[in-house]
Amino acid sequence: MIFPDSFLMSCLLESEMSSVESHQEQLSQSDPSPSPNSCSSFELLDMDAGGLYEPVSPHWFYCKIIDSKETWIPFNSEDSQQLEEAYGSGKDCNGRVVPTDGGRYDVHLGERMRYAVYWDELASEVRRCTWFYKGDKDNKYVPYSESFSQVLEETYMLAVTLDEWKKKLESPNREIIILHNPKLMVHYQPVAGSDEWGSTPTEQGRPRTVKRGVENISVDIHCGEPLQIDHLVFVVHGIGPACDLRFRSIVQCVNDFRSVSLNLLQTHFKKAQENQQIGRVEFLPVNWHSPLHSTGVDVDLQRITLPSINRLRHFTNDTILDVFFYNSPTYCQTIVDTVASEMNRIYTLFLQRNPNFKGGVSIAGHSLGSLILFDILTNQKDSLVDMDSEKDAPNIVTDEGDTLTLEEDLKKLQLSEFFSIFEKEKVDKEALALCTDKDLQEMGIPLGPRKKILNYFRTRKNSMGINRPTLQPASRVTVSNISKESGFCSKTDATGNGDYLDVGIGQVSVKYPRLIYKPEIFFAFGSPIGMFLTVRGLKRIDPNYKFPTCKGFFNIYHPFDPVAYRIEPMVVPGVEFEPMLIPHHKGRKRMHLELREGLTRMSMDLKNNLLGSLRMAWKSFTRAPYPALQASESTEETEAESDSSSEKLSDVNTEETPVAVKEEVPPINVGMLNGGQRIDYVLQEKPIESFNEYLFALQSHLCYWESEDTVLLVLKEIYQTQGIFLDQPLQ
């Protein structure tokens, strides 16, 4: 094929070839290509010999829109092999659906499209790629279409077999590709605005580099994920649609969290992986922001939003107002329904796609998402009826923590025969809770049943933290409020007369859906739970309280996170103690923290030594004179005094050295909220962050997605429930 309708252009093109070839040789040397020792077929090709053609090895890619630009990303090696096997399986491949990326995406081979399974996402194009090109300003290689790649491969095969090079091809969009030799193949872009005399060499621009086979381009291809899934973790985001400083969605941030976990499993659980004891932990995102803002509230807000500082007001409406939505009677119900129903839906779908899954389930929440999960867990019920049937049911059963009617309550107390009396007197549960012994007597209730009923409602009213959710159903619990009915906290009235029941502390009443599984651990990242509970008027968490259906609770935060608050001081308000320091994932404390502790310890030692020296000097000045005849006796007394003073000094040092006190103090009891273990865990700040706390405050609230220390703590606690521990305990 020749250049269309321009003999002059052809001449100029041929005269330019020598300079282009030398220039492309430089590009080829600068381009990160495999060395001559690589296994590439045409790199080892003898250019003078023909007939050494070997077919190209295809690899599958998918297209993602990143920063408004198309980026082609390779499937991992296992997924690409599965796609290639399905492609070569025969005519039925067009109807094949191949799960990829650990089962989170499905590829429809006939459509050449990739669809997300568990969440809503735009479908992305898929290609079977063999030939690629890259321009001067492109960061990554772009694959040619499958049809044109086949044409390129056929032309390349003829050139190798016949040893005839400098082949020209024209792409469908009228671009020229020239195959000079196996190592030099170029791609000329079409010339825009060429006149009747044709284009000049300068108008052609710098040609693109063309590569054959994925092994000759610089791209990272991962090996894939383990097929075995040991544990499932749902991750709920906080306010706004963006979850980090790069304004990425919860899906992208959880992808980072999952990638970090896979790397840490290879480095810190290597023995367990080699023994095939573990596979991986699956993290799935839960999005509630989009359903909330699709209710039409954004349109209502836009009508009343001022036109000034438009971007700031739009940011406020889209993010910060989510906190106020959660305190709204209407939208709070939408949020809790969305979070619970999404987790139930994804869990049901996950079991359908992974029928052999036998692992447990945990949940994690970031920022406001942790508060939502905390409230949902607090209002769960301990006894899950017909769990197996609920797992298979697509419809989600919801309740509000207490759906038992008065008739069911009486049946539980074996007093069903008295229900007709209460029904005749129009006494419901709320009215019955206000009845006295005299009222029940006037209704004709005998003494024994009266005592049972009064004791039952008194137990529900005055319970102080004993985990008896089946015996004390709560009625109309308030949003995010752990009332006295669930036995979470204690309050004191203004006169100090002890505990009293008060559910009306400014929170709205909603129905809390029930989860169709029992979470094993609840992880809170950068959580404001402690602040919200305090603002709601809850003074203290009873040490005996624990979630009805969840065994563990970890409050993980960065020391500079402006949104995070502690939980343990609400359980043990009278004791001051530090949170647990999360070890560095490399098994040591950060150097600047060790230096800081060393300087603190040194200053304390200097202080103690100085105080001891002053004490000894003062005693020597104030000592009474001794007679010369009692020299030996005085010497003994002096030695005894010095011994006693040294003992006193050691006592003083013990009292004034906080490190020694810290080692000798027995473990702190922080209640049963985390099964008797510590609850608050603080990350170690980086050296650059310690220079200015305020500068890194916002970043600290969004750092958890890529934090190896955070992910390792999550993995360690999850696998400990299965009896699997780190290769080497971190210090």
Side-chain angles (χ1 to χ4, degrees):
M1 188 178 295
I2 62 173
F3 224 84
D5 300 331
S6 177
F7 176 75
L8 178 60
M9 184 176 296
S10 301
C11 295
L12 292 174
L13 186 61
E14 292 296 335
S15 63
E16 188 192 13
M17 279 308 157
S18 58
S19 61
V20 169
E21 288 181 14
S22 61
H23 176 65
Q24 288 301 317
E25 289 291 346
Q26 296 175 357
L27 287 179
S28 177
Q29 294 175 1
S30 62
D31 189 65
S33 302
S35 63
N37 297 326
S38 66
C39 59
S40 173
S41 59
F42 62 82
E43 291 287 347
L44 304 177
L45 183 66
D46 185 2
M47 296 188 56
D48 296 332
L52 298 180
Y53 169 78
E54 292 185 9
V56 64
S57 298
H59 195 92
W60 291 75
F61 282 66
Y62 64 92
C63 182
K64 292 283 288 185
I65 306 298
I66 301 177
D67 297 331
S68 302
K69 184 178 180 181
E70 289 187 356
T71 302
W72 287 89
I73 303 174
F75 286 96
N76 62 59
S77 55
E78 292 182 2
D79 289 344
S80 180
Q81 183 178 356
Q82 289 184 1
L83 290 169
E84 185 63 22
E85 290 175 357
Y87 173 80
S89 61
K91 297 181 180 180
D92 296 337
C93 71
N94 288 335
R96 291 285 298 273
V97 177
V98 180
T100 61
D101 298 276
R104 296 180 297 275
Y105 290 89
D106 283 342
V107 172
H108 295 242
L109 280 181
E111 302 176 23
R112 291 292 196 274
M113 298 298 289
R114 173 176 174 265
Y115 296 93
V117 174
Y118 298 107
W119 56 83
D120 293 332
E121 183 178 313
L122 292 176
S124 51
E125 183 184 353
V126 174
R127 282 185 190 176
R128 180 178 181 267
C129 304
T130 53
W131 285 76
F132 307 85
Y133 67 89
K134 184 181 77 169
D136 296 332
K137 297 182 180 180
D138 295 332
N139 296 325
K140 296 183 179 181
Y141 280 90
V142 179
Y144 287 103
S145 65
E146 293 187 32
S147 58
F148 188 67
S149 294
Q150 186 175 356
V151 174
L152 285 170
E153 183 66 17
E154 292 173 355
T155 306
Y156 178 86
M157 179 184 64
L158 290 175
V160 171
T161 304
L162 303 177
D163 195 22
E164 295 179 359
W165 293 95
K166 295 189 177 181
K167 299 284 186 178
K168 292 184 182 179
L169 295 94
E170 183 175 349
S171 68
N173 50 353
R174 306 186 65 82
E175 298 179 357
I176 300 300
I177 294 90
I178 303 178
L179 309 182
H180 293 287
N181 56 59
K183 294 184 178 180
L184 179 61
M185 295 173 279
V186 294
H187 177 154
Y188 289 97
Q189 295 180 349
V191 181
S194 58
D195 54 19
E196 59 184 358
W197 295 98
S199 60
T200 62
T202 57
E203 292 175 328
Q204 294 287 347
R206 303 182 67 179
R208 295 175 172 179
T209 305
V210 177
K211 293 291 183 181
R212 175 180 179 265
V214 72
E215 64 272 10
N216 293 304
I217 64 176
S218 56
V219 63
D220 294 330
I221 300 177
H222 301 287
C223 296
E225 303 176 9
L227 296 179
Q228 177 185 340
I229 300 177
D230 305 317
H231 204 85
L232 176 63
V233 180
F234 294 112
V235 184
V236 180
H237 65 86
I239 62 173
C243 297
D244 65 354
L245 291 177
R246 288 178 281 177
F247 298 98
R248 297 185 304 168
S249 66
I250 180 64
V251 174
Q252 295 170 304
C253 291
V254 172
N255 286 343
D256 282 348
F257 203 88
R258 188 186 305 108
S259 298
V260 174
S261 73
L262 292 173
N263 294 333
L264 290 175
L265 286 176
Q266 296 176 359
T267 56
H268 291 72
F269 293 87
K270 190 174 182 180
K271 293 181 181 178
Q273 279 196 336
E274 291 176 352
N275 297 332
Q276 297 183 349
Q277 292 179 294
I278 63 173
R280 63 184 174 92
V281 177
E282 180 62 281
F283 297 90
L284 295 179
V286 177
N287 181 17
W288 56 267
H289 182 270
S290 299
L292 170 66
H293 288 262
S294 62
T295 58
V297 64
D298 289 348
V299 178
D300 298 334
L301 285 173
Q302 188 62 35
R303 287 198 298 265
I304 60 175
T305 301
L306 300 181
S308 58
I309 52 173
N310 183 46
R311 292 185 179 180
L312 180 58
R313 296 187 191 278
H314 177 73
F315 173 80
T316 301
N317 292 347
D318 211 27
T319 56
I320 300 177
L321 286 188
D322 286 348
V323 179
F324 298 96
F325 285 139
Y326 191 62
N327 290 321
S328 160
T330 301
Y331 299 107
C332 179
Q333 186 70 64
T334 301
I335 293 174
V336 295
D337 285 346
T338 301
V339 171
S341 62
E342 272 295 287
M343 289 195 295
N344 288 337
R345 180 190 66 83
I346 296 174
Y347 180 68
T348 304
L349 180 58
F350 179 83
L351 292 181
Q352 292 174 358
R353 296 176 63 89
N354 301 272
N356 298 324
F357 175 72
K358 303 298 181 182
V361 184
S362 294
I363 56 178
H366 176 242
S367 188
L368 183 62
S370 64
L371 177 65
I372 299 170
L373 292 177
F374 186 89
D375 295 334
I376 292 176
L377 286 179
T378 305
N379 290 275
Q380 294 299 296
K381 298 176 66 175
D382 189 16
S383 59
L384 298 182
V385 183
D386 300 329
M387 172 65 78
D388 295 335
S389 61
E390 286 183 7
K391 287 181 181 178
D392 299 331
N395 297 326
I396 305 305
V397 180
T398 63
D399 67 354
E400 58 178 302
D402 176 26
T403 55
L404 295 180
T405 62
L406 178 58
E407 184 177 7
E408 292 171 336
D409 281 337
L410 293 174
K411 184 178 181 181
K412 187 190 298 184
L413 296 173
Q414 297 180 353
L415 300 174
S416 300
E417 64 270 19
F418 300 105
F419 175 70
S420 58
I421 299 177
F422 294 121
E423 190 176 21
K424 180 180 179 182
E425 297 291 338
K426 297 184 179 180
V427 175
D428 56 9
K429 292 177 63 173
E430 288 75 10
L432 184 56
L434 301 174
C435 290
T436 63
D437 183 75
K438 185 178 180 181
D439 296 330
L440 296 179
Q441 186 178 2
E442 291 177 354
M443 284 187 243
I445 308 296
L447 178 62
R450 288 205 310 267
K451 294 301 181 182
K452 281 187 178 182
I453 294 172
L454 292 175
N455 180 67
Y456 176 73
F457 282 95
R458 189 180 300 113
T459 301
R460 292 174 55 234
K461 183 174 180 180
N462 298 327
S463 174
M464 285 300 302
I466 302 174
N467 187 26
R468 296 192 302 256
T470 56
L471 297 179
Q472 37 182 326
S475 62
R476 298 295 293 177
V477 288
T478 58
V479 159
S480 312
N481 167 36
I482 314 350
S483 70
K484 292 296 294 301
E485 300 177 5
S486 63
F488 183 80
C489 59
S490 59
K491 297 181 67 175
T492 304
D493 60 12
T495 60
N497 291 328
D499 299 318
Y500 71 99
L501 175 63
D502 181 14
V503 243
I505 56 173
Q507 295 298 312
V508 293
S509 180
V510 300
K511 295 180 179 180
Y512 283 96
R514 192 174 78 189
L515 302 178
I516 60 176
Y517 53 85
K518 289 185 177 182
E520 293 192 6
I521 307 177
F522 168 36
F523 299 98
F525 306 138
S527 172
I529 293 175
M531 180 269 291
F532 269 84
L533 294 181
T534 303
V535 169
R536 293 170 184 174
L538 307 182
K539 302 291 185 182
R540 180 173 177 265
I541 301 174
D542 192 274
N544 293 324
Y545 177 78
K546 56 184 178 182
F547 293 124
T549 60
C550 185
K551 300 176 182 178
F553 174 37
F554 290 86
N555 182 37
I556 303 169
Y557 62 92
H558 191 283
F560 303 155
D561 189 340
V563 180
Y565 289 83
R566 292 190 63 182
I567 298 294
E568 291 174 342
M570 297 189 69
V571 183
V572 193
V575 182
E576 292 186 4
F577 53 96
E578 296 295 324
M580 292 291 291
L581 187 66
I582 299 177
H584 193 272
H585 66 282
K586 293 184 178 179
R588 57 173 175 78
K589 190 174 291 186
R590 293 187 185 272
M591 189 177 298
H592 70 288
L593 295 179
E594 293 181 351
L595 179 61
R596 183 190 304 169
E597 289 185 0
L599 292 175
T600 304
R601 195 178 301 113
M602 186 186 302
S603 63
M604 291 300 298
D605 292 342
L606 291 174
K607 176 184 175 183
N608 294 331
N609 292 335
L610 179 59
L611 290 176
S613 301
L614 290 176
R615 250 184 231 105
M616 293 294 293
W618 177 255
K619 288 183 179 180
S620 64
F621 286 137
T622 58
R623 184 179 303 147
Y626 292 95
L629 294 177
Q630 301 176 352
S632 60
E633 186 179 341
S634 64
T635 304
E636 294 174 1
E637 292 178 358
T638 305
E639 291 177 355
E641 252 186 33
S642 63
D643 293 340
S644 62
S645 63
S646 63
E647 291 177 2
K648 292 180 180 177
L649 180 60
S650 64
D651 294 341
V652 172
N653 287 343
T654 304
E655 293 175 0
E656 296 184 358
T657 307
V659 178
V661 172
K662 199 177 210 179
E663 293 175 354
E664 296 176 2
V665 166
I668 301 172
N669 181 13
V670 292
M672 299 304 296
L673 195 54
N674 191 24
Q677 301 182 57
R678 295 292 301 274
I679 301 172
D680 293 335
Y681 286 79
V682 61
L683 293 167
Q684 302 178 35
E685 72 271 16
K686 298 178 182 178
I688 191 175
E689 294 174 343
S690 61
F691 286 116
N692 192 322
E693 300 177 359
Y694 296 93
L695 185 62
F696 293 94
L698 180 59
Q699 178 179 334
S700 300
H701 183 59
L702 307 171
C703 72
Y704 306 99
W705 308 116
E706 299 176 351
S707 170
E708 292 94 343
D709 300 348
T710 302
V711 178
L712 186 58
L713 176 62
V714 172
L715 294 177
K716 180 175 74 72
E717 295 300 330
I718 286 176
Y719 278 111
Q720 275 185 1
T721 62
Q722 304 177 14
I724 298 173
F725 302 92
L726 295 170
D727 293 340
Q728 294 181 353
L730 301 179
Q731 300 295 331

